[in-house]
């Protein structure tokens, strides 16, 4: 097991499934009233340069649920905003805490913190990867649909950090993946090429969203303008108009396909209210599972 969780590519299929399977057990035992206190005496720093609701609350709830403590540090609360070298921050923080959860812009921030940190660094989102989110999404898929390597998963919309991590998950976990992205908004080509080398099934990028959802067991969508892209919002609304997940597009998928959205959702943009609140939507279970997968990640990564 790698020391840090920087991206899914550094883990084996068995290691990724270990996070998911442990999260499923933790979720079941929490419902049964079992109290887990595996992290008593341990502290995690949440270093968030991007705002967050679900990721922050789920990581904090996960750590408190395990008996540990959390320090939340926004960008303005650290010397990072005043250009302190990352390697200095990494080495000092590692002497205070037992792990760092980092939500930032550049993947290079996570990479450098990991290089110089003696304690685990966990990537809670960068512009390139979103590994923790995809682990909880895969947990939801397994809960709802069973063996993930037998499934066809579709991504509709921007080839963003979520899409990149879905591609890496497909390469590792063995499911087929079709991404429908507008021209100029494809996923990272290097990530795509690397994942295809080890993928057991096809990872395909197409233009037509109807082609992506045809035969899909799972349909994923995300906002059209992510954090840091707000100035592109109006332009993206026009470019992505044909990629909205609405009832017409959903009807082109099997009737038992499930719909995922990592939230927050922009209703009537990338997804309609009707689909988000519809019977095929599992977004609320998906949101809940973030806490359980974060528990599993903290437990496994900080116990090594």
């Amino acid at each position: 097991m790698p020391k840090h969780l920087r991206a899914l590519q550094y883990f084996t299929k068995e290691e990724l499934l270990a996070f998911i399977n442990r999260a499923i057990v933790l979720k079941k035992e929490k419902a049964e009233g079992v109290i887990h206190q595996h992290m008593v005496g341990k502290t995690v720093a949440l270093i968030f340069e991007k705002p967050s609701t679900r990721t922050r609350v789920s990581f904090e709830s996960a750590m408190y649920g395990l008996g540990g403590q959390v320090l939340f540090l926004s960008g303005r609360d650290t010397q990072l905003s005043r250009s302190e070298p990352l390697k200095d921050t990494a080495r000092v923080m590692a002497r205070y805490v037992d792990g760092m959860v980092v939500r930032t812009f550049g993947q290079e921030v996570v990479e450098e913190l990991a290089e110089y940190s003696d304690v685990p660094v966990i990537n809670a989102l960068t512009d390139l990867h979103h590994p923790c989110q995809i682990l909880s999404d895969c947990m939801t898929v397994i809960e709802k649909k069973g063996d993930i390597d037998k499934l066809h998963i579709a991504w509709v919309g921007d080839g963003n950090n979520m899409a990149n991590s879905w591609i890496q998950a497909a390469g590792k976990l063995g499911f087929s993946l079709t991404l429908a992205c507008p021209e100029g908004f494809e996923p990272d080509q290097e990530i795509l090429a690397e994942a295809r080398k080890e993928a057991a099934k096809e990872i395909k990028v197409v233009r037509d969203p109807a082609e992506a959802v045809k035969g899909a067991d799972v349909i994923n969508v995300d906002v059209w303008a992510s954090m840091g892209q707000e100035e592109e919002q109006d332009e993206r609304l026009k470019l992505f108009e044909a990629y909205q997940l609405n009832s017409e597009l959903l009807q082109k998928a099997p009737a038992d396909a499930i719909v995922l959205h990592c939230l927050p959702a922009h209703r009537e943009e990338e997804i309609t209210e009707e689909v988000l609140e519809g019977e095929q939507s599992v977004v609320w279970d998906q949101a809940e599972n973030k806490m359980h997968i974060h528990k599993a990640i903290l437990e496994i990564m900080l116990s090594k």
Side-chain angles (χ1 to χ4, degrees):
M1 179 78 73
K3 180 176 182 179
H4 308 287
L5 202 173
R6 296 173 288 160
L8 299 182
Q9 71 194 73
Y10 302 111
F11 292 80
T12 65
K13 176 180 182 178
E14 290 72 26
E15 289 167 341
L16 295 179
L17 289 176
F19 288 126
I20 295 168
N21 292 334
R22 180 57 182 161
I24 291 172
V25 171
L26 288 168
K27 180 179 182 179
K28 176 177 178 289
E29 292 184 348
K30 183 177 188 297
E32 295 170 348
V34 177
I35 296 174
H36 301 93
Q37 296 285 284
H38 307 143
M39 294 291 112
V40 171
K42 294 198 174 185
T43 302
V44 165
L46 303 186
I47 303 172
F48 279 32
E49 293 190 291
K50 282 189 172 185
S52 165
T53 302
R54 277 155 293 276
T55 300
R56 175 180 176 178
V57 174
S58 57
F59 261 114
E60 289 189 352
S61 298
M63 193 60 180
Y64 290 138
L66 293 169
Q69 299 291 318
V70 170
L71 298 173
F72 180 80
L73 301 168
S74 69
R76 64 177 179 274
D77 297 323
T78 70
Q79 297 296 330
L80 294 176
S81 61
R82 288 177 283 277
S83 302
E84 179 179 47
L86 286 169
K87 60 184 179 182
D88 292 1
T89 297
R91 289 178 290 199
V92 173
M93 292 287 286
R95 298 193 179 203
Y96 298 151
V97 300
D98 300 286
M100 287 181 261
V101 177
V102 183
R103 183 179 174 91
T104 187
F105 295 88
Q107 179 67 20
E108 68 276 7
V109 174
V110 169
E111 298 290 345
E112 187 168 347
L113 287 172
E115 180 180 354
Y116 288 95
S117 172
D118 290 330
V119 301
V121 173
I122 298 167
N123 181 354
L125 178 142
T126 68
D127 291 343
L128 191 62
H129 297 290
H130 203 354
C132 296
Q133 179 67 54
I134 273 53
L135 282 173
S136 63
D137 293 353
C138 289
M139 173 186 172
T140 307
V141 170
I142 291 170
E143 281 184 331
K144 303 294 182 184
K145 306 293 285 186
D147 294 339
I148 198 167
D149 57 357
K150 297 178 181 175
L151 302 178
H152 173 207
I153 294 178
W155 173 269
V156 178
D158 190 15
N160 59 11
N161 50 1
M162 287 279 293
N164 290 335
S165 289
W166 267 113
I167 288 169
Q168 292 187 333
K172 296 291 182 180
L173 298 179
F175 55 85
S176 64
L177 176 66
T178 301
L179 306 103
C181 307
E183 185 175 3
F185 295 90
E186 298 86 356
D188 185 277
Q189 294 302 298
E190 184 176 344
I191 289 173
L192 186 59
E194 286 299 314
R196 281 172 169 164
K197 289 180 183 176
E198 61 179 332
K201 295 182 181 172
E202 188 176 26
I203 303 174
K204 185 166 60 173
V205 179
V206 300
R207 292 275 176 258
D208 184 0
E211 182 180 350
V213 305
K214 183 181 179 182
D217 301 289
V218 181
I219 304 171
N220 263 287
V221 292
D222 192 10
V223 295
W224 291 338
S226 300
M227 284 176 284
Q229 299 170 333
E230 290 79 3
E231 292 182 356
E232 303 173 20
Q233 176 77 12
D234 291 342
E235 179 185 3
R236 283 173 176 254
L237 285 178
K238 299 175 185 174
L239 292 170
F240 284 78
E241 187 177 10
Y243 292 81
Q244 182 188 70
L245 181 57
N246 49 38
S247 57
E248 182 180 352
L249 180 59
L250 188 57
Q251 285 174 2
K252 299 182 186 301
D256 63 348
I258 60 172
V259 172
L260 299 181
H261 191 308
C262 63
L263 304 177
H266 293 177
R267 288 169 167 82
E268 308 307 326
E269 288 185 11
E270 75 276 2
I271 189 169
T272 61
E273 174 89 5
E274 181 182 20
V275 173
L276 187 70
E277 299 287 357
E279 293 182 355
Q280 290 173 258
S281 169
V282 298
V283 300
W284 315 118
D285 291 331
Q286 179 188 5
E288 177 193 343
N289 284 343
K290 286 174 69 76
M291 182 184 71
H292 302 296
I293 202 77
H294 291 165
K295 263 188 183 178
I297 290 170
L298 291 168
E299 185 183 274
I300 292 172
M301 299 296 293
L302 271 61
S303 297
K304 292 183 297 171

